[in-house]
Amino acid sequence: MVEVSQMIDSDVFLAFSTYATIVVLKMLLLGPMTGYYRMTRKAFSNLEDTTIHGRNEEDKKKFLRTDPDVERVRRCHQNDLENIVPFVVIGLLYALSGPALSTALLHFRVFVGSRFLHTHTVAYLLPLPQPCRGASWIVGMLTTFSMGYQLLSTSLVL
Amino acid sequence: MVEVSQMIDSDVFLAFSTYATIVVLKMLLLGPMTGYYRMTRKAFSNLEDTTIHGRNEEDKKKFLRTDPDVERVRRCHQNDLENIVPFVVIGLLYALSGPALSTALLHFRVFVGSRFLHTHTVAYLLPLPQPCRGASWIVGMLTTFSMGYQLLSTSLVL
Amino acid sequence: MVEVSQMIDSDVFLAFSTYATIVVLKMLLLGPMTGYYRMTRKAFSNLEDTTIHGRNEEDKKKFLRTDPDVERVRRCHQNDLENIVPFVVIGLLYALSGPALSTALLHFRVFVGSRFLHTHTVAYLLPLPQPCRGASWIVGMLTTFSMGYQLLSTSLVL
């Protein structure tokens, strides 16, 4: 019997494991970030969440509203889900298809870099104008397509 | 050549496989649940879905509305996606990194338990006040962060 | 040590790899499609995205609106996320549990076919009435449940 733990000795797999973990944890952190914005902007979706801010029923209901900053973080979270999930799936299969370490590292680094840039431009943390958010989104997507293309061209079973 | 089917002989991998399947099927069931609420509350998003409730065009359009209960289930589904996807990705890599079975089982059980509790509080199935939904969300997230931390501390290739 | 690249020699795993890549790339393409509809319908969510359409601040703000077609593509993307993520997770574990190649291929083909049909009916590309979108969604879901059931019945470790 083969030890599963040996599988992780492959350098490409280890690299994928590291970058995937980092980018997925980054995505997960947008959850508490939404919560933080909901608390400071006092904009909630569920009536029972407003208890600490309002006392009576009428007071509470006015906190059931949308806020531009909360929606901005939520769209960022959604964009992360839509782009990081394909990266993780295709990246895992790509890492298992035995690519060259340098090519694989290039793909992983460009993707993770583009997603961190995307989040920073969304959060206005970096003073970069609009083309930056769009460009980082497109670069990340092209990386995933590139891996998908190599995966399908090396091993296609229909 | 190594048989892939042998990979699943590892106890940790088998445990991950079981818990991941259960929690993902639970998430998938929220789809039909949204459909059920849409039918009973008569609140739809697409004009062609309202055919069985309304006869003429004007009659149909009034069913294109949002309903608090439908939105509640949809937010639960979204929260599941945002939390279960990171668990599955990091949990899979964690299971392959060769952790102790008891530690791994603890992580998987706490996470799956917290997500079931979260869904139950969302659906008002259990008469628990608000801190419960928030707490189950945070406990699940901490479990994923704990696995991610152990993963990065044992094998980091940048 | 076992070469990870040997893992991909299994026929079932290669077939899963192909179908998962195709269906995930299809899901990823809905991102640019949303962007295309946003540009042609001039309906944006972020103020900085409207720069090329409006000149002054007031002019720009009127493009911050929702559009039925944009929302339709976004719901399709969301439905893809909610259904393709469970397929990928359960399909991967199922492919590793050593099923018969013919049974596995049947599941993968039916699922991927149902998702392409679903996207086509959403985009009005095919002139099919409503039961088709609902039916393709349900068929895809049943495929995932079938794989999950077989997975849990062959290997359950709690």
Side-chain angles (χ1 to χ4, degrees):
Chain A
M1 202 197 102
V2 187
E3 287 293 318
V4 183
S5 54
Q6 292 182 337
M7 228 186 79
I8 217 160
D9 285 343
S10 149
D11 276 343
V12 175
F13 192 81
L14 272 177
F16 169 75
S17 176
T18 306
Y19 285 102
T21 305
I22 289 170
V23 83
V24 166
L25 290 180
K26 180 207 84 67
M27 176 170 79
L28 194 54
L29 275 174
L30 288 175
M33 199 166 151
T34 307
Y36 170 79
Y37 274 97
R38 277 198 190 286
M39 297 296 269
T40 53
R41 263 59 168 182
K42 296 183 182 168
F44 299 92
S45 302
N46 299 301
L47 193 62
E48 69 266 33
D49 297 354
T50 61
T51 313
I52 49 170
H53 293 295
R55 301 214 180 141
N56 51 56
E57 279 304 296
E58 207 148 293
D59 210 29
K60 285 181 188 174
K61 268 190 187 152
K62 74 171 186 229
F63 294 121
L64 291 185
R65 55 190 185 85
T66 57
D67 172 270
D69 287 329
V70 172
E71 294 309 304
R72 202 176 165 82
V73 180
R74 289 184 62 210
R75 280 198 300 276
C76 179
H77 206 159
Q78 184 68 16
N79 192 286
D80 259 12
L81 268 177
E82 289 170 3
N83 287 280
I84 292 179
V85 166
F87 166 77
V88 165
V89 174
I90 292 177
L92 174 68
L93 299 170
Y94 171 75
L96 295 177
S97 72
L101 181 60
S102 55
T103 322
L105 274 176
L106 184 68
H107 280 89
F108 300 159
R109 282 171 186 162
V110 169
F111 181 84
V112 173
S114 76
R115 293 317 300 179
F116 271 93
L117 185 62
H118 184 269
T119 310
H120 277 73
T121 54
V122 167
Y124 295 124
L125 293 177
L126 288 173
L128 295 167
Q130 157 50 7
C132 276
R133 205 188 75 237
S136 60
W137 170 59
I138 289 170
V139 166
M141 208 151 44
L142 289 180
T143 319
T144 308
F145 273 110
S146 165
M147 290 192 299
Y149 172 75
Q150 285 168 65
L151 196 52
L152 290 180
S153 59
T154 54
S155 53
L156 187 72
V157 174
L158 282 171
Chain B
M1 203 197 101
V2 188
E3 288 293 318
V4 184
S5 54
Q6 292 181 336
M7 228 187 79
I8 218 162
D9 285 343
S10 149
D11 276 343
V12 175
F13 192 82
L14 272 177
F16 169 75
S17 176
T18 306
Y19 284 103
T21 305
I22 290 170
V23 84
V24 166
L25 289 180
K26 180 208 83 68
M27 176 170 78
L28 194 55
L29 275 175
L30 287 175
M33 199 166 152
T34 308
Y36 170 79
Y37 273 97
R38 278 198 190 286
M39 297 297 267
T40 52
R41 264 59 169 181
K42 296 184 182 167
F44 299 93
S45 301
N46 298 302
L47 193 62
E48 69 264 35
D49 297 354
T50 60
T51 313
I52 49 170
H53 293 294
R55 300 214 181 142
N56 52 56
E57 278 304 296
E58 206 147 296
D59 210 28
K60 285 181 188 175
K61 267 189 187 152
K62 73 170 187 230
F63 293 121
L64 291 184
R65 57 191 183 84
T66 56
D67 173 88
D69 286 327
V70 172
E71 294 309 304
R72 203 175 166 81
V73 180
R74 290 184 60 210
R75 281 198 301 276
C76 179
H77 205 159
Q78 185 67 18
N79 192 286
D80 258 12
L81 267 178
E82 289 170 3
N83 287 280
I84 291 178
V85 166
F87 166 77
V88 165
V89 174
I90 293 177
L92 174 68
L93 299 171
Y94 171 75
L96 295 176
S97 72
L101 181 60
S102 55
T103 322
L105 274 176
L106 184 68
H107 281 89
F108 301 159
R109 282 171 186 162
V110 169
F111 180 85
V112 173
S114 76
R115 293 317 300 180
F116 271 92
L117 186 62
H118 184 269
T119 310
H120 277 73
T121 53
V122 166
Y124 295 123
L125 293 176
L126 288 173
L128 294 166
Q130 157 49 8
C132 274
R133 204 187 77 237
S136 61
W137 171 58
I138 290 170
V139 165
M141 208 151 44
L142 288 180
T143 318
T144 309
F145 273 109
S146 165
M147 289 192 299
Y149 172 75
Q150 283 168 66
L151 198 52
L152 290 179
S153 59
T154 53
S155 53
L156 188 72
V157 173
L158 282 170
Chain C
M1 203 197 100
V2 187
E3 289 293 318
V4 183
S5 53
Q6 292 181 336
M7 228 187 80
I8 218 161
D9 285 341
S10 149
D11 276 343
V12 175
F13 192 82
L14 272 177
F16 170 75
S17 176
T18 306
Y19 284 102
T21 305
I22 289 170
V23 82
V24 167
L25 289 180
K26 179 208 83 69
M27 176 170 79
L28 195 54
L29 275 174
L30 287 176
M33 198 167 153
T34 307
Y36 170 79
Y37 274 97
R38 278 199 190 286
M39 298 296 269
T40 52
R41 264 59 168 181
K42 295 183 183 169
F44 299 93
S45 302
N46 298 302
L47 194 61
E48 69 266 34
D49 297 354
T50 60
T51 313
I52 48 170
H53 292 294
R55 300 213 180 141
N56 53 57
E57 279 304 296
E58 207 148 295
D59 210 29
K60 285 180 189 176
K61 268 189 188 152
K62 74 170 185 226
F63 294 120
L64 292 184
R65 56 191 184 84
T66 56
D67 172 270
D69 286 329
V70 172
E71 294 309 305
R72 201 175 167 82
V73 180
R74 290 184 60 210
R75 280 198 301 276
C76 179
H77 205 159
Q78 185 67 16
N79 192 286
D80 259 11
L81 267 177
E82 290 170 2
N83 287 280
I84 292 179
V85 166
F87 167 76
V88 165
V89 174
I90 292 177
L92 174 68
L93 299 170
Y94 171 75
L96 295 176
S97 72
L101 180 60
S102 55
T103 322
L105 275 175
L106 183 69
H107 281 89
F108 300 160
R109 283 170 185 162
V110 169
F111 181 85
V112 173
S114 76
R115 293 316 299 179
F116 271 92
L117 185 62
H118 184 268
T119 310
H120 277 72
T121 53
V122 167
Y124 296 124
L125 294 177
L126 288 173
L128 295 166
Q130 156 50 8
C132 274
R133 205 188 75 237
S136 61
W137 170 59
I138 289 170
V139 165
M141 208 151 43
L142 289 180
T143 319
T144 309
F145 272 110
S146 165
M147 289 193 297
Y149 171 75
Q150 284 169 64
L151 197 51
L152 289 181
S153 59
T154 54
S155 54
L156 187 73
V157 174
L158 282 171

